[in-house]
Short mmCIF file of all heavy atoms in Angstrom, two decimals:
data_model
loop_
_atom_site.label_atom_id
_atom_site.label_comp_id
_atom_site.label_asym_id
_atom_site.label_seq_id
_atom_site.Cartn_x
_atom_site.Cartn_y
_atom_site.Cartn_z
N ALA W 319 -28.82 -24.12 -48.16
CA ALA W 319 -28.07 -23.53 -47.06
C ALA W 319 -27.39 -24.61 -46.21
O ALA W 319 -26.32 -24.38 -45.65
CB ALA W 319 -28.99 -22.68 -46.20
N THR W 347 -35.63 -44.45 -58.66
CA THR W 347 -34.91 -45.39 -57.82
C THR W 347 -35.50 -45.47 -56.42
O THR W 347 -35.62 -46.54 -55.84
CB THR W 347 -33.42 -44.98 -57.72
OG1 THR W 347 -32.87 -44.94 -59.03
CG2 THR W 347 -32.63 -45.97 -56.87
N LEU W 353 -42.08 -39.77 -52.18
CA LEU W 353 -43.12 -38.76 -52.36
C LEU W 353 -43.68 -38.27 -51.02
O LEU W 353 -44.24 -37.19 -50.94
CB LEU W 353 -44.26 -39.30 -53.23
CG LEU W 353 -43.88 -39.71 -54.65
CD1 LEU W 353 -45.08 -40.35 -55.34
CD2 LEU W 353 -43.37 -38.53 -55.44
N ASP W 354 -43.52 -39.08 -49.98
CA ASP W 354 -44.01 -38.71 -48.65
C ASP W 354 -43.11 -37.70 -47.95
O ASP W 354 -43.49 -37.14 -46.92
CB ASP W 354 -44.15 -39.95 -47.76
CG ASP W 354 -45.23 -40.89 -48.25
OD1 ASP W 354 -46.16 -40.42 -48.96
OD2 ASP W 354 -45.16 -42.09 -47.96
N ALA W 367 -23.43 -52.68 -44.08
CA ALA W 367 -23.07 -52.65 -45.50
C ALA W 367 -23.94 -53.61 -46.30
O ALA W 367 -24.29 -53.36 -47.43
CB ALA W 367 -21.59 -52.99 -45.66
N MET W 388 -26.04 -36.78 -34.02
CA MET W 388 -26.65 -37.96 -34.63
C MET W 388 -25.59 -38.96 -35.08
O MET W 388 -25.74 -40.17 -34.86
CB MET W 388 -27.52 -37.55 -35.82
CG MET W 388 -28.76 -36.82 -35.41
SD MET W 388 -29.83 -36.53 -36.82
CE MET W 388 -30.40 -38.19 -37.11
N SER W 396 -25.97 -46.01 -29.60
CA SER W 396 -27.14 -45.59 -28.83
C SER W 396 -28.39 -45.44 -29.70
O SER W 396 -29.49 -45.30 -29.18
CB SER W 396 -26.87 -44.30 -28.06
OG SER W 396 -26.59 -43.24 -28.93
N ALA W 415 -23.74 -45.32 -52.22
CA ALA W 415 -22.52 -46.00 -52.64
C ALA W 415 -22.11 -45.55 -54.04
O ALA W 415 -20.92 -45.38 -54.31
CB ALA W 415 -22.73 -47.51 -52.62
N VAL W 419 -18.65 -38.89 -53.47
CA VAL W 419 -17.48 -38.25 -54.03
C VAL W 419 -16.75 -37.54 -52.90
O VAL W 419 -17.29 -36.64 -52.29
CB VAL W 419 -17.87 -37.21 -55.12
CG1 VAL W 419 -16.65 -36.49 -55.63
CG2 VAL W 419 -18.62 -37.90 -56.25
#
Side-chain angles (χ1 to χ4, degrees):
T347 302
L353 299 174
D354 294 336
M388 290 187 71
S396 62
V419 177

